[in-house]
Amino acid sequence: MGFWDALWLMFWFVMFVAYLMVLFLVIRDIFSDSLRPGWVKAVWVLGVLLFPLLGCIGYMLFYGQQMTIRQSARQDVAKDDMADYIRRTANANPSEQIAAAKKLLDEGTITGEEFQMLKARALG
């Protein structure tokens, strides 16, 4: 195998991976659209599977803007969930943390040394 053959092989490998990424994005978007009826989804899946390149290009031409909107909405929801989680965990009051550690100590789940360590961490 010569240099140009290896270069050509790498080019086609990269194109194949790019095609697979587009294919999976399109199929994920087909199934994630809750407004589209099931028979339309089935037709698009058949089109994408029977005519892969034309099906993906056609889907992106017809629904490309909506794909972007749905992806952005999914990212916004994930970002809001993460911000909510951070707010819930970061805003823990030190007295609440100490009370929770005291409850664990009373139940016998942690030792006195672990309680003191948790208390010191909460205070400081």
Side-chain angles (χ1 to χ4, degrees):
M1 177 182 276
F3 171 75
W4 294 110
D5 291 334
L7 191 65
W8 202 232
L9 179 66
M10 285 190 300
F11 171 77
W12 283 113
F13 178 75
V14 168
M15 297 312 306
F16 180 69
V17 170
Y19 162 72
L20 286 178
M21 290 172 59
V22 169
L23 178 68
F24 290 131
L25 284 173
V26 166
I27 289 177
R28 183 183 73 177
D29 190 69
I30 289 171
F31 288 110
S32 71
D33 187 8
S34 61
L35 301 176
R36 198 171 304 143
W39 67 271
V40 174
K41 291 179 184 182
V43 169
W44 273 111
V45 168
L46 281 175
V48 166
L49 293 178
L50 293 177
F51 307 104
L53 189 59
L54 292 176
C56 287
I57 291 173
Y59 186 85
M60 290 191 310
L61 286 174
F62 286 115
Y63 298 110
Q65 187 67 28
Q66 294 173 9
M67 280 177 71
T68 305
I69 292 169
R70 279 189 292 275
Q71 177 66 24
S72 176
R74 282 191 295 266
Q75 288 176 348
D76 290 344
V77 167
K79 186 170 63 170
D80 292 343
D81 287 346
M82 180 58 79
D84 183 48
Y85 171 75
I86 291 171
R87 250 184 261 108
R88 281 186 284 123
T89 57
N91 288 339
N93 190 339
S95 62
E96 291 173 358
Q97 291 177 356
I98 294 171
K102 178 67 173 155
K103 182 179 175 188
L104 291 174
L105 178 65
D106 293 341
E107 292 173 353
T109 307
I110 61 174
T111 64
E113 294 172 358
E114 292 171 326
F115 172 74
Q116 292 301 327
M117 184 180 66
L118 291 172
K119 183 177 169 184
R121 187 181 304 155
L123 293 175

